[in-house]
Amino acid sequence: MLLLAATGCRGGGGDTYHPVFPPAPAEPRLIHRANVQTVADLSRPTLLDDLAGLIAGRSHPKLGRPSAVAHDGGRHLYIADMRRQAVHVFDTRRGRSRLIERAGDEYLVSPVGLAVLDDGQLAVADSALGSVFIFDARRRLVKSIAEPQRPTGMHYVVEDGELYITDTLAHRVLVYDRQLELNRTLGEPGHGPGQFNFPTHVFVDADRRVYVTDAMNFRVQVFDAGGRYLTHIGEHGDATGHLAVPKGVAVDSHGHIYIVDAYFSAVQVFDRRGRFLLAFGNPGDESGQFQLPNDLAMDGEDQLYIADTFNRRIQIFQYIGGPGDDLE
């Protein structure tokens, strides 16, 4: 069994509590902030917005099976929902939500990846349709990318204008330029360094290191900006620091690497050298517990958004350590 280095402590009253990791007496480094099933769990709408919603009869659709999550750094949270075959757009400032269910004349089937591009554009990867759809800020389809065989996780580097798309069936990562033209590819089928066996997620940190979840090789591979293999994190196993079903990956501003493991319903944290630091989560439906989590996203304030898929929610955690904190 996976030996978790940290488990939360229940506190407060009612159904919602906010565990910290690691628990006392250790100094906490992460705190649970919220469980999100509708936009109402995030927003503080004005009285006028509440009144308008009441008059219009608006309701807030609940998440069905969230598979991916993205944040635009402002007011919008985007959540791909495989059960609803749609993408939720949460306007957290106004307390409103809408669904993206179609890409032009085509209905979404299996939205599994999201990335926020320039000028409020949104990229949606539909693995069943084999396409990545680009929507403008008004959620109108403006482009489709059809090169991937089965697109899954994505990441957009704002400064470089590059969109990274994992192509799971082709065992590679595609990199597109700001004009959304294919620029280069990364990886090939195999088990060695720089080779992939069903990659699913990708993240690029502030230093342009590229992290690719190499799912069936039970690791996350790390590359430099030019695509040169640097190292890998994890190996197959059930102890701390090992991976069974790795999924989403993200890096905070301090260089901590967060990797979701769906099999263990947990998130493991590593340092830049790939050394295990901390794990949090275990199977369950309380705050800080997960049921087959899939994806995660990190915002500019080191808030972590985790798609807790079979609990039908997004869980939000805040990293609260200081500069130079190694979590140990």
Side-chain angles (χ1 to χ4, degrees):
M1 294 295 292
L2 179 69
L3 301 176
L4 295 182
T7 54
C9 299
R10 182 160 189 162
D15 295 330
T16 301
Y17 69 105
H18 302 288
V20 297
F21 304 93
E27 184 177 353
R29 296 295 188 269
L30 289 161
I31 184 170
H32 176 271
R33 289 295 193 197
N35 295 321
V36 178
Q37 291 186 310
T38 76
V39 69
D41 296 322
L42 282 172
S43 61
R44 295 179 180 176
T46 66
L47 180 60
L48 288 177
D49 286 330
D50 281 340
L51 183 59
L54 182 63
I55 293 173
R58 283 198 301 263
S59 61
H60 301 304
K62 287 188 175 182
L63 301 180
R65 189 179 297 169
S67 56
V69 58
H71 193 277
D72 67 359
R75 61 195 278 185
H76 294 110
L77 183 68
Y78 304 93
I79 305 164
D81 191 328
M82 292 184 65
R83 175 172 290 176
R84 288 186 174 273
Q85 298 178 295
V87 175
H88 299 259
V89 182
F90 286 179
D91 183 333
T92 61
R93 188 176 305 164
R94 303 197 65 181
R96 296 181 180 180
S97 64
R98 61 173 295 186
L99 290 174
I100 300 174
E101 299 176 290
R102 300 170 63 143
D105 295 328
E106 197 166 20
Y107 282 96
L108 298 178
V109 177
S110 183
V112 296
L114 299 170
V116 180
L117 312 184
D118 297 324
D119 302 320
Q121 291 187 322
L122 179 70
V124 179
D126 191 306
S127 61
L129 296 177
S131 294
V132 173
F133 301 108
I134 311 298
F135 298 88
D136 66 16
R138 298 180 64 181
R139 309 310 162 210
R140 298 173 299 190
L141 179 68
V142 295
K143 185 178 177 67
S144 297
I145 299 174
E147 285 96 350
Q149 293 183 35
R150 180 172 290 175
T152 48
M154 300 185 292
H155 186 85
Y156 184 68
V157 183
V158 175
E159 295 80 2
D160 301 333
E162 291 189 326
L163 176 64
Y164 288 73
I165 302 173
T166 50
D167 188 351
T168 299
L169 278 185
H171 312 285
R172 63 181 179 171
V173 175
L174 307 177
V175 186
Y176 290 79
D177 62 20
R178 199 178 297 274
Q179 286 70 46
L180 297 175
E181 298 295 332
L182 182 61
N183 180 282
R184 61 189 185 277
T185 63
L186 180 65
E188 62 182 5
H191 307 284
Q195 297 179 325
F196 300 127
N197 188 16
F198 295 99
T200 59
H201 294 79
V202 60
F203 187 90
V204 183
D205 71 13
D207 295 320
R208 302 302 187 273
R209 283 187 291 260
V210 182
Y211 301 80
V212 181
T213 302
D214 187 10
M216 296 308 294
N217 283 328
F218 312 104
R219 63 190 179 185
V220 170
Q221 294 199 62
V222 187
F223 302 84
D224 67 14
R228 181 173 64 94
Y229 171 83
L230 297 176
T231 188
H232 74 270
I233 300 169
E235 58 184 289
H236 192 208
D238 60 3
T240 53
H242 291 63
L243 300 172
V245 185
K247 292 287 189 176
V249 58
V251 182
D252 69 20
S253 64
H254 302 277
H256 305 128
I257 303 159
Y258 300 76
I259 302 173
V260 171
D261 196 311
Y263 182 81
F264 297 118
S265 290
V267 178
Q268 298 196 62
V269 188
F270 300 82
D271 69 9
R272 290 176 183 269
R273 298 180 182 178
R275 297 178 302 183
F276 172 80
L277 299 176
L278 173 74
F280 63 96
N282 58 287
D285 58 7
E286 295 190 338
S287 298
Q289 297 181 323
F290 305 103
Q291 291 288 0
L292 296 179
N294 188 69
D295 189 30
L296 54 80
M298 183 75 66
D299 69 15
E301 303 298 323
D302 285 339
Q303 281 199 125
L304 191 63
Y305 302 78
I306 300 176
D308 187 7
T309 303
F310 280 84
N311 278 330
R312 298 182 296 176
R313 64 188 179 185
I314 302 296
Q315 292 199 59
I316 303 176
F317 297 81
Q318 176 70 60
Y319 173 67
I320 56 176
D325 187 352
D326 63 3
L327 286 175
E328 293 182 304

